[in-house]
Amino acid sequence: MAKILTHPAAAAALLAALAVSAPVTASAASANTSSAATSCYGGAVTVNYGDAAEFGPYTTTSRCADINLRMVSGDAEFVWACVKFTRVGACNYWTQVGRSWKTIATDVKDGSKFTVPLGVDLEGSSARVQIAF
């Protein structure tokens, strides 16, 4: 049997407690979503095209569900990138990537080993990129 609060002060205290706890839960949920994206990109590795044309090997983690890449500097307009999974040995598909984060492989299983071959728009161009996985 449920108790009914008949004392106005007790009822007001209960309502105040419930009102305070609801927004905190909503804030925590949006903070978790934001921190998940931050931790994915926060773990990115930075490499320079020219030091090599294929980077890695890397191993995917639970930090990101996808493999993402962006240019951070250099005189290239964009880079071409693909993901070459070790178990397959060939590129998945080539993606043109500029200065914003772009997904170059989706729904990648944790623990997958891969490399990232890159190409620039013009021979002799330079590019510094970040890879988040």
Side-chain angles (χ1 to χ4, degrees):
M1 176 179 248
K3 288 188 176 181
I4 298 174
L5 294 175
T6 56
H7 194 280
L14 179 61
L15 287 174
L18 290 173
V20 169
S21 66
V24 172
T25 305
S27 290
S30 63
N32 288 342
T33 303
S34 176
S35 66
T38 301
S39 65
C40 176
Y41 296 142
V45 297
T46 304
V47 296
N48 293 309
Y49 179 81
D51 293 346
E54 185 166 337
F55 299 94
Y58 305 112
T59 303
T60 58
T61 65
S62 60
R63 187 174 53 240
C64 300
D66 304 323
I67 300 172
N68 306 283
L69 187 131
R70 74 173 176 173
M71 281 183 49
V72 291
S73 64
D75 58 9
E77 295 277 327
F78 57 85
V79 296
W80 288 101
C82 77
V83 174
K84 189 189 296 185
F85 292 102
T86 303
R87 63 180 166 69
V88 177
C91 281
N92 57 347
Y93 51 86
W94 288 91
T95 304
Q96 186 178 348
V97 180
R99 298 193 185 265
S100 298
W101 284 109
K102 188 144 190 185
T103 301
I104 59 174
T106 58
D107 298 324
V108 181
K109 183 179 175 185
D110 292 350
S112 299
K113 293 186 183 332
F114 69 97
T115 60
V116 178
L118 289 178
V120 291
D121 60 335
L122 274 155
E123 188 175 329
S125 292
S126 66
R128 184 174 179 89
V129 302
Q130 289 184 316
I131 307 165
F133 51 91

